[in-house]
Amino acid sequence: MDAALPRLAVTAGEPAGVGPELLIRLAAGPLAADLVAITDRDLLRRAAARCGAAVALSDDDGARVRARAPGALRVHHVPLGAEERPGHPDPRNAAHVLATLAEAADGCLAGRYDAVVTAPLQKSSINEAGIRFSGHTEFFAARARAGVVMMLASPELRVALATTHLPLAAVPAAITAASLERTLRIVHAELGAKFGLARPRIAVLGLNPHAGEGGHLGREEIDTIVPLLDRLRAEGMQLLGPLPADTAFVPAQRARYDAVLAMYHDQALPVLKSEAFDRTVNLTLGLPFVRTSVDHGTALDLAGTGRADPSSMLAAARLALELAARAPGARDE
């Protein structure tokens, strides 16, 4: 007997961005998943018309199915606050966006969905609505009451972040022994649980140029990073570094590790995105469910044209399915 398809919740992100069109492109393909769009039903209809794609929308009844025809898309309807204008985010839709994320998180926690894939949203629009918001990662962490780590992964490289959406001036104070230990323990555990690596090797970047140059270019490595790495190595973790960021990604170094921990957002992500922008996936480590996302923004200049490239969305969905299949208690009936 054929197994039931995994139920993959997909949020459309910013209504005025490319997210709704990416969702339609995803549904139009043959992905072996029961896709449940968490967004406004009419928003999807308009996005499908802009893409020239034939989709069959139906209300989600929560039942498990064993097959999905290309173009079939179930919908958990969350109404917009105002009809979208492609390319022009409207703060009146901030509550809608957050409601879709809440349903995705709560549905995963309750077992209604096996994983969630998120399309890009516009953080500025949510903040302009008077709602303090720093990103998907932080939202899901708070909703699940979990300590999390942001990782971006391509087929060739995995990069986790010690700090995420912070001004550069705030990064040094955020790099503490306690925060680094928490992050490294999550990354180490998740590389085993989600990627099947029994003894993961993690390269840790220094904060300063040349990893501090023996203290001449900063003391964070000497005072904080090195003592922590030595302590965790004594427990059996395989940790390299701290490595200078400017040479950590050369081929000879890459052969030595399974993932990189970067100290801040733009320290390593430009390398990853320049190499594999259309194949890179954002995932949140540490959650009690699988969450992946595209690695790009709302592309407001492309919104409404139907020309947005769905490659990263498809990569995110495929990785979500792969990770969900490895999760404890994954459905195989």
Side-chain angles (χ1 to χ4, degrees):
M1 182 179 292
D2 292 337
L5 291 176
R7 280 172 54 82
L8 193 60
V10 189
T11 62
E14 167 54 53
V18 295
E21 295 164 42
L22 296 179
L23 204 164
I24 291 296
R25 295 292 191 198
L26 181 68
L31 189 72
D34 180 13
L35 298 177
V36 182
I38 304 177
T39 187
D40 186 286
R41 189 183 302 108
D42 293 326
L43 170 65
L44 292 175
R45 289 195 178 105
R46 291 188 289 268
R50 293 175 185 126
C51 292
V55 294
L57 303 181
S58 61
D59 291 337
D60 178 40
D61 61 5
R64 296 263 167 183
V65 299
R66 299 184 182 278
R68 182 189 72 89
L73 180 60
R74 299 211 274 182
V75 183
H76 179 97
H77 179 65
V78 179
L80 287 173
E83 185 170 328
E84 80 286 356
R85 292 175 56 219
H88 302 277
D90 189 332
R92 290 178 294 175
N93 283 322
H96 158 84
V97 172
L98 295 183
T100 68
L101 301 186
E103 165 59 25
D106 295 349
C108 284
L109 291 170
R112 294 194 298 274
Y113 312 118
D114 297 311
V116 58
V117 176
T118 58
L121 50 72
Q122 193 77 12
K123 292 188 279 288
S124 60
S125 184
I126 297 173
N127 283 283
E128 286 167 11
I131 304 170
R132 191 170 182 179
F133 181 83
S134 56
H136 280 110
T137 301
E138 296 83 358
F139 180 93
F140 285 127
R143 199 79 184 181
R145 299 181 180 178
V148 303
V149 175
M150 179 188 290
M151 173 177 278
L152 279 89
S154 73
E156 297 84 17
L157 184 63
R158 305 180 188 100
V159 176
L161 301 179
T163 62
T164 54
H165 302 116
L166 287 180
L168 192 56
V171 169
I175 303 295
T176 66
S179 69
L180 280 180
E181 179 175 357
R182 178 190 66 82
T183 298
L184 279 166
R185 290 193 185 280
I186 291 172
V187 173
H188 185 270
E190 291 281 72
L191 286 172
K194 285 189 165 59
F195 293 95
L197 298 172
R199 297 194 65 209
R201 303 165 300 166
I202 304 169
V204 180
L205 303 187
L207 173 65
N208 297 294
H210 299 183
E213 194 75 68
H216 295 288
L217 296 176
R219 291 194 55 85
E220 285 84 0
E221 288 77 12
I222 293 172
D223 296 338
T224 302
I225 300 175
V226 169
L228 173 66
L229 298 188
D230 287 343
R231 181 158 60 84
L232 295 181
R233 286 188 190 105
E235 294 183 12
M237 285 193 191
Q238 296 192 85
L239 305 172
L240 306 176
L243 301 179
D246 62 344
T247 56
F249 298 100
V250 300
Q253 288 283 19
R254 288 195 193 190
R256 301 173 63 202
Y257 55 72
D258 302 301
V260 174
L261 178 65
M263 294 295 111
Y264 55 92
H265 189 277
D266 285 7
Q267 186 180 42
L269 297 193
V271 175
L272 183 63
K273 292 189 178 186
S274 67
E275 289 186 353
F277 185 74
D278 60 344
R279 294 176 291 121
T280 298
V281 176
N282 184 330
L283 64 149
T284 306
L285 304 181
L287 290 173
F289 55 86
V290 172
R291 177 260 167 168
T292 66
S293 184
V294 297
D295 73 335
H296 58 74
T298 51
L300 297 177
D301 57 327
L302 284 175
T305 68
R307 299 198 313 268
D309 185 351
S311 298
S312 185
M313 189 72 158
L314 180 57
R318 285 173 171 162
L319 182 59
L321 294 175
E322 177 185 331
L323 298 181
R326 291 200 190 114
R331 296 175 181 269
D332 57 5
E333 69 274 22

